[in-house]
């Protein structure tokens, strides 16, 4: 406890000693004398100054010497300094004080909390001498002074310790002294020991720091995401700007085509009107000449004097006149001067402009092959990818249970499917495989098995499988520049079929086949499946049987659809004296028209004029003015879906010829056509040469 508690106890309980602090100097009479009263400090009791202030006590003691009086004072002081020897109990006194200040039994825990500090106070109460009073008689006044000074220094240190804050008030959130908890303004507050409070605060700070670090990480992620969004906005703007430009160019091309068509129709109407009027004019001239001729002959007949001759000529003339007059003469105009009012149909242009901001339906996602350990007894991990740049908001996952029981006696297992090798399309990173079922047994699903071939392998090893395929077609992700054996199994309640005959897929480059059902009847496909020829072109619009999807006017054929994003390269070998067209076209390109004459096809055309080899790069019937000095014998074609370009090269000398820039709203087919007898050889599965990437 502090010195104030000691002073309070001195006033309230008698018979106990006071603090042994350094005695203050005796005040002068002028300072302490008020109204005839003199006030003295209570610390003078038991001190040597008392004998100077109260000499009557000294004189009233008879013949006792001053030394005896001082020895008695010293003995009395020693008893006070060692209260344990006289039965002093500080804990009891604290209990009495707690009772007196209204501390109930609920304070016991707080007293236990402060127990360590109470023990410290108990050890210091009352203050101990640094040195016991001497038992010898006749202590000098100098010895007494040293003893009091030593006690004063010790007590100052202890008072500094008492002033230290060693308890934490949880209510006020500040450190306090233990004494303030017992007797001060924090008496009714929740407290804790300062070390435990420090540890608690450190733990709370640590938790907050962890939360702060998490928030920092989240903000960094948000900032990174915002940067990505910023870049995406720029990319989308560029893509949209390019899309708008492409649609604008397409609209201009469509309008130009419509204008040319209407102008041509107007010219045809003019020609027909003029021809009709000219024919009518010629007829009128002939009729007028006949009338004039008959009139002149009739006049000459009337001048004949010989009546016999007159009668002979008159009979003949009458017959001629009657025959001529029987003929009806059309006096109405064969053609009116007014022209038919023509209106350009801009519905296609409107459709193009309206499709600028429209989002087409995305392509079907591609399910990745099932990874090892992807399935458990109650769950299955399914992964897929969108093999295009389509915008997707969400995915819908559909599944159906397949019986895992043994073979059913009621239903036979299906036969192995047959893979359509000429329907397979592939590129460096994917392949589209098609097959068909060979029997009438129902099939619930199909399983595609892949075997990657390496130099070290001499036999097939199943490396991946795709299960639960509902249709007879699947798009598979593959690794570039690899060879795969692929086979298919069919499955139903009766069990799983045997493997189909495997097919080899090489992911070196883009591979496709020619669609025979689109070929013109005069166009022949040779045995290798990649060479087309035509022997006669006298009457392209012949009466030979054609398919519903065949070209009827242009001697052309389409290749398989290329349904993979990215870059695709193939080459066409041509002869120098052959006229041809080659490029790409949409599925719905008109079969009764020429390639490049509409807005659904892009092609390079070679024709021979008397003066030179002429090359045209046609789209919607329009071509830039390009002169090519070295006739290409091997044409390289690079289709880039992502950059919306179609480029042509002279592959023999790595020369760039021309590039179309167009937003391909759909996947395209390679297309080929012959305009003179000759052959074209198509080469697929080629890695794009490095010079195709040069600007």
């Amino acid at each position: 406890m502090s010195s104030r508690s000691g002073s309070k106890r001195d006033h309230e309980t008698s018979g106990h000693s006071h603090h042994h602090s350094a005695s203050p100097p005796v005040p002068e009479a002028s300072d302490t004398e008020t109204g005839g009263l003199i006030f003295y400090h209570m610390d003078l009791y038991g001190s040597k100054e008392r004998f100077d202030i109260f000499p009557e006590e000294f004189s009233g003691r008879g013949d006792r010497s001053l030394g005896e009086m001082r020895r008695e004072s010293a003995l009395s002081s020693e008893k006070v300094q060692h209260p344990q020897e006289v039965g002093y109990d500080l804990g009891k006194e604290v209990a009495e004080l707690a009772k007196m200040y209204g501390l109930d039994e609920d304070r016991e825990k707080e007293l236990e909390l402060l127990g360590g500090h109470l023990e410290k106070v108990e050890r210091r109460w009352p203050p101990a001498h640094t040195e016991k009073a001497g038992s010898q008689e006749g202590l000098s006044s100098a010895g007494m002074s040293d003893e009091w000074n030593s006690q004063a220094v010790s007590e100052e240190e202890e008072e500094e310790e008492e002033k230290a804050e060693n308890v934490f008030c949880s209510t006020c959130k500040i450190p306090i002294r233990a004494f303030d908890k017992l007797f001060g303004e924090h008496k009714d507050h929740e407290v804790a020991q300062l070390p435990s409070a420090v540890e608690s605060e450190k733990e709370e700070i640590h938790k907050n720091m962890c939360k702060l670090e998490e928030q920092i990480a989240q903000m960094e992620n948000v900032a990174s995401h915002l940067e990505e969004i910023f870049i995406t906005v720029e990319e989308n703007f560029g893509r949209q700007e390019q899309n708008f430009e492409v649609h604008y160019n397409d609209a201009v091309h469509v309008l130009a085509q419509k204008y040319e068509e209407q102008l041509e129709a107007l010219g045809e109407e003019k020609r027909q009107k003029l021809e009709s009027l000219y024919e009518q004019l010629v007829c009128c001239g002939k009729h007028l000449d006949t009338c004039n001729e008959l009139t002149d002959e009739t006049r000459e007949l009337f001048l004949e004097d010989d009546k016999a001759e007159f009668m002979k000529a008159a009979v003949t003339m009458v017959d001629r006149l009657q025959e001529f007059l029987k003929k009806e003469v059309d006096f109405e105009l064969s053609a009116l001067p007014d022209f038919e009012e023509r209106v350009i149909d801009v519905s296609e242009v409107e459709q193009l402009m309206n499709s600028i901001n429209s989002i087409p339906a995305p392509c079907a996602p591609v399910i990745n092959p099932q990874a090892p350990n992807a399935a458990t007894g109650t769950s299955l991990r399914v992964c897929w990818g969108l093999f295009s740049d389509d915008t997707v908001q969400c995915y819908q996952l559909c599944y159906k249970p397949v019986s895992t029981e043994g073979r059913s006696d009621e239903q036979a297992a299906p036969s192995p499917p047959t893979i359509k090798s000429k329907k397979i399309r592939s590129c460096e990173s994917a392949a589209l495989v098609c097959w068909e079922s060979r029997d009438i047994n129902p099939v619930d699903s199909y399983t595609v098995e892949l075997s990657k071939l390496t130099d070290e392998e001499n036999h097939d090893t199943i490396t991946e499988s795709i299960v639960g395929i509902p249709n007879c077609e699947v798009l598979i992700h593959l690794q570039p520049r690899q060879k795969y054996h692929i086979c298919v199994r069919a499955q139903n309640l009766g069990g799983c079929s045997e493997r189909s005959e495997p097919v080899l897929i090489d992911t070196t480059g883009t591979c496709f086949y020619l669609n025979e059902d689109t070929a013109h009847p005069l166009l022949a496909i040779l045995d290798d499946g990649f060479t087309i020829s035509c022997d006669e072109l006298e009457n392209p619009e012949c009466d030979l049987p054609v398919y519903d999807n065949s070209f009827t006017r242009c001697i052309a054929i389409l290749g398989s659809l290329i349904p993979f994003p990215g870059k695709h390269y193939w080459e066409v070998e041509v002869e120098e004296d052959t006229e041809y067209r080659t490029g790409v076209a949409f599925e719905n390109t008109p079969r009764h028209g020429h390639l490049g004459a509409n807005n659904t096809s892009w092609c390079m055309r070679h024709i021979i004029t008397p003066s030179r080899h002429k090359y045209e790069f046609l789209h919607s019937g329009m071509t830039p003015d390009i002169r090519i000095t070295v006739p290409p014998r091997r044409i390289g074609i690079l289709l880039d879906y992502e950059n919306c370009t179609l480029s042509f090269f002279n592959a023999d000398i790595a020369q760039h010829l021309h590039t179309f820039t167009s937003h391909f709203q759909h996947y395209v087919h390679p297309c080929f056509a012959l305009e003179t007898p000759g052959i074209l050889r198509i080469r697929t599965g080629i890695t794009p040469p490095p010079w195709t990437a040069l600007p």
Side-chain angles (χ1 to χ4, degrees), residues 67 70-71 74 132-144 147:
R70 290 181 175 175
R71 281 196 298 272
K132 280 190 176 183
S135 58
Q136 299 179 356
E137 295 182 357
L139 281 176
S140 65
S141 114
M144 290 290 293
E147 182 180 350

Side-chain angles (χ1 to χ4, degrees), residues 254-255 258 261-262 342-350:
V254 171
L255 284 175
K258 295 291 184 182
E261 292 175 355
Q262 293 294 335
R342 299 181 180 275
V343 178
I344 297 178
D345 183 12
V346 295
S347 59
E348 188 175 356
V349 177
E350 292 178 353

Side-chain angles (χ1 to χ4, degrees), residues 304-470:
E304 180 65 37
D305 295 333
D306 188 355
K307 295 182 179 180
E309 292 294 331
F310 174 80
M311 290 301 297
K312 292 179 182 179
V315 173
T316 305
M317 179 60 65
V318 170
D319 293 338
R320 289 181 60 188
L321 289 174
Q322 290 178 350
E323 184 69 23
F324 179 76
L325 293 175
K326 288 180 181 179
K327 296 180 180 180
E328 295 183 358
V329 180
D330 186 8
F331 295 102
E332 294 183 1
L333 294 176
S334 60
L336 298 176
D338 297 332
F339 283 83
E340 179 184 354
E341 185 176 354
R342 299 181 180 275
V343 178
I344 297 178
D345 183 12
V346 295
S347 59
E348 188 175 356
V349 177
E350 292 178 353
Q351 183 179 0
L352 285 173
M353 298 306 295
N354 292 334
S355 63
I356 292 179
N357 296 320
S358 62
I359 300 177
C363 299
V366 180
I367 297 181
N368 297 340
Q370 183 177 347
N373 302 323
T376 65
T378 58
S379 65
L380 174 64
R381 185 172 181 266
V382 182
C383 300
W384 64 85
L386 188 66
F387 207 60
S388 67
D389 294 331
D390 296 333
T391 301
V392 177
Q393 293 181 343
C394 63
Y395 294 92
Q396 182 179 5
L397 180 63
C398 303
Y399 68 94
K400 65 178 181 178
V402 178
S403 176
T404 57
E405 299 177 356
R407 293 177 177 269
S408 173
D409 297 335
E410 300 179 357
Q411 188 174 7
S415 301
T418 301
I419 298 178
K420 300 178 181 179
S421 58
K422 291 189 177 182
K423 296 290 185 179
I424 294 178
R425 286 151 282 175
S426 63
C427 63
E428 291 187 348
S429 57
L432 182 64
V433 183
C434 305
W435 61 87
E436 60 183 358
S437 180
R438 296 192 305 173
D439 57 9
I440 61 174
N441 293 331
V443 176
D444 294 331
S445 63
Y446 297 92
T447 299
V448 175
E449 298 176 348
L450 292 79
S451 305
K452 185 167 65 173
L453 305 180
T454 61
D455 295 338
E456 294 80 8
E457 290 182 344
N458 296 322
H459 59 279
D460 293 347
T461 301
I462 302 300
T463 57
E464 294 179 353
S465 62
I466 305 175
V467 299
I469 303 173

